[in-house]
Amino acid sequence: MRLSSGLLVGSAVAGLLSIAAALLAMPAASLQFTLVMLLALLGYVLLERGARRVRWPVAVGIGLLAAVATTRLLWWREQADEAGWLTYGKGVATTAMSEPAREMIDRERLAALGLLLGVVCLAAGALALPARSRRRGAVTSVLALTLLTWLGLSLGRGSDRQPLLDLAATVWPALLAAVVAIGAFALSGWRADRHWLLPLGLFLLSVAAAHACSELATAWSDWVIATGPPSDAFLEPGMRVNTSADNFPQVSWAVSAAITLAGVGMVAVGASRSSREADAA
C-alpha cells in the first residue's frame, strides 16, 4: 500500500471516530479526531501523484479547516476550564448571561470566516480542473439553483422580524461560505470525476455551510430577543415565549460533523481523481 493510500485510510478511520465521539457527547475527543482526519487528508493530497492540478488549493483549504478545528478545540478547553462544562449549540444563545452568549457568537463568526476561506480554496481547486461534460454540468446547475433558493427562503423565514441588515452583518461569513460552495457545486458537474465524488462532496459542503449559517442566525436572533425589549407573549411575568420556528432541518451534532467531514474528504479525493482522469485523457 502506498503512503498516500494509507493516509487516506487513516483519514477515513479518524473521521469515523470523530463522528462516534460526537454521538457519545465527547466534544474534545471529536475535535481531536477531526483534526487528525484533516491532517491525514492533507498528507494524502500532498503525496497523491494524481492531484497535480489541484494539489495546492485543496491542501491550503484543508489546512484552513484544520486550523478552525484546532481553534474550536482550544475554545472548548478554555470554556471547560472556566465553567467546568460547555454549553454547546443553541443553548448558548438562550442563557441569561448575555455577554458570554455574545462572545460565543463572535467566536462562531470567526470560525465561519475560517470555513469561508477553506471553502474558497477548495472551490478554487475544483474549478482549476478542465471542463468536460456539459450534461453533468446542467444537472448540478439546476440542483445548485434549487439549493440556493431553499437557503434564501430558510433565512428569510428564520429572521423572525429581526433587522435583516443586522442579521446579515452577523452571519455573512457563513452565508458567503454557503454561496461559494453552492456556486462551486453548480460548476462541478463539468469537472466531475467518474464516480461523482467531487460534486457530491461540494454538495455536502454546501449543506454544512448552510447549516452553520442557520445556526449562527438562530443564535443571534435568540440573543437579540433575550437582550432586547419584550415583544412576545408571556406565560407569566418574567418568562418569555419565543414564537419563532426554526425552518432549517434539525440535525444532531454528529450528523452535522459527518456531513462536513464527508464533504471535505470527497472533495479532496474527487478532485484528485478528476485531475488524474484529465491527465490521462
Side-chain angles (χ1 to χ4, degrees), residues 221-237:
S221 180
D222 289 345
W223 179 81
V224 169
I225 291 173
T227 58
S231 59
D232 294 337
F234 286 82
L235 288 177
E236 59 182 77

Side-chain angles (χ1 to χ4, degrees), residues 125-140:
L127 298 182
L129 295 165
R132 291 182 290 175
S133 175
R134 293 185 178 181
R135 182 177 302 178
R136 292 180 177 182
V139 172
T140 54

Side-chain angles (χ1 to χ4, degrees), residues 169-216:
T170 300
V171 305
W172 71 265
L175 178 60
L176 193 53
V179 172
V180 170
I182 293 172
F185 169 61
L187 299 174
S188 65
W190 278 272
R191 299 158 175 82
D193 57 289
R194 201 170 0 182
H195 300 289
W196 275 68
L197 291 178
L198 180 60
L200 182 56
L202 287 170
F203 171 77
L204 292 177
L205 274 182
S206 301
V207 173
H211 180 252
C213 181
S214 177
E215 287 289 285
L216 189 55

Side-chain angles (χ1 to χ4, degrees), residues 64-134:
L64 287 168
L65 295 179
V68 172
T70 302
T71 303
R72 285 188 178 277
L73 181 59
L74 293 175
W75 286 343
W76 192 94
R77 288 177 173 174
E78 176 186 333
Q79 189 163 349
D81 290 340
E82 291 177 356
W85 55 278
L86 177 66
T87 302
Y88 199 91
K90 296 178 182 177
V92 68
T94 57
T95 181
M97 300 174 62
S98 61
E99 286 303 320
R102 183 66 206 189
E103 181 181 357
M104 180 62 74
I105 291 173
D106 291 339
R107 287 182 171 184
E108 289 302 319
R109 288 181 65 211
L110 183 59
L113 181 59
L115 174 64
L116 168 61
L117 296 176
V119 168
V120 167
C121 290
L122 293 176
L127 298 182
L129 295 165
R132 291 182 290 175
S133 175
R134 293 185 178 181

Side-chain angles (χ1 to χ4, degrees), residues 3 30 32 34 46-47 59 71 87 114 117 163 222 248 274:
L3 180 57
S30 180
Q32 288 169 350
T34 294
L46 292 175
L47 295 177
T71 303
T87 302
L117 296 176
D222 289 345
F248 198 92
S274 294

